[in-house]
């Protein structure tokens, strides 16, 4: 009977959804996939919903600090109907605590120029926070990557 119980427990763990065992890093990876999906759809509203209500954004092409979800929604109107995409080239996730993650890395904004996607190399820093059961961006800094040294 004990062997049957052990087999049953192992089978239940094998059949359990993997998300139930996901930690902050796995959840952050899933969050980046949602950000990419929203950006690739050129949906400024969906992108902005991934930011905390009082989030701050140093945008790649902005000279000003963008504060709050409403302003971030407006900031991302530049991608609406462009066909632009984003590719995350490299990212490092540092779990500060179970509800805070520092994410840094490199991405390529794929800008649609005359129907052809042209990479625009950038770099980013994000502070992700977990509120209730959802992750949001509390702060996001994006800037163009300097060209390689000659």
């Amino acid at each position: 009977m004990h062997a049957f119980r052990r087999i049953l427990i192992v089978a239940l763990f094998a059949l359990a959804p993997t998300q139930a065992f996901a930690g902050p890093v796995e959840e952050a990876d899933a969050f980046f996939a949602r950000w990419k999906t929203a950006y690739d759809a050129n949906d400024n509203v969906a992108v902005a919903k991934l930011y905390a209500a009082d989030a701050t954004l140093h945008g790649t092409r902005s000279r000003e600090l963008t504060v709050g979800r409403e302003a971030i929604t407006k900031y991302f109107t530049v991608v609406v109907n462009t066909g632009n995409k984003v590719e995350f080239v490299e990212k490092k996730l540092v779990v500060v605590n179970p509800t805070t993650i520092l994410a840094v890395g490199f991405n390529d904004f794929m800008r649609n120029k005359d129907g052809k996607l042209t990479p625009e190399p950038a770099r980013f820093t994000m502070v992700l926070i977990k509120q209730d059961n959802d992750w949001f961006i509390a702060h996001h800094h994006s800037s163009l990557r300097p060209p390689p040294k000659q």
Side-chain angles (χ1 to χ4, degrees):
M1 191 58 138
H2 290 287
F4 176 73
R5 199 175 307 162
R6 281 190 210 135
I7 292 171
L8 182 60
I9 290 171
V10 169
L12 288 174
F13 275 107
L15 295 174
T18 55
Q19 181 124 3
F21 301 106
V25 169
E26 293 81 9
E27 291 175 359
D29 279 334
F31 178 87
F32 272 90
R34 288 195 318 272
W35 198 94
K36 175 181 174 29
T37 297
Y39 186 90
D40 286 359
N42 300 158
D43 187 341
N44 63 313
V45 175
V47 171
K49 285 182 180 178
L50 298 172
Y51 289 76
D54 60 348
T56 54
L57 168 66
H58 274 296
T60 309
R61 296 180 176 270
S62 179
R63 299 183 63 78
E64 300 170 5
L65 181 64
T66 305
V67 180
R69 191 177 289 143
E70 185 177 328
I72 291 169
T73 302
K74 184 177 178 184
Y75 173 84
F76 280 107
T77 59
V78 298
V79 300
V80 173
N81 297 321
T82 62
N84 289 354
K85 309 283 184 211
V86 67
E87 295 295 332
F88 289 101
V89 178
E90 179 183 342
K91 69 179 175 306
K92 172 127 173 84
L93 303 172
V94 178
V95 178
V96 177
N97 61 49
T99 60
T100 310
I101 294 176
L102 173 64
V104 296
F106 300 99
N107 61 294
D108 289 336
F109 288 109
M110 306 302 289
R111 306 288 187 200
N112 187 354
K113 297 179 181 175
D114 300 322
K116 181 179 179 193
L117 293 176
T118 304
E120 186 177 70
R123 54 192 171 183
F124 68 90
T125 302
M126 291 182 188
V127 176
L128 306 178
I129 56 170
K130 191 171 190 176
Q131 297 175 331
D132 298 320
N133 285 325
D134 291 322
W135 286 94
F136 296 95
I137 299 168
H139 175 71
H140 180 186
H141 176 233
S142 178
S143 58
L144 296 178
R145 254 185 282 166
K149 290 185 178 182
Q150 303 258 336

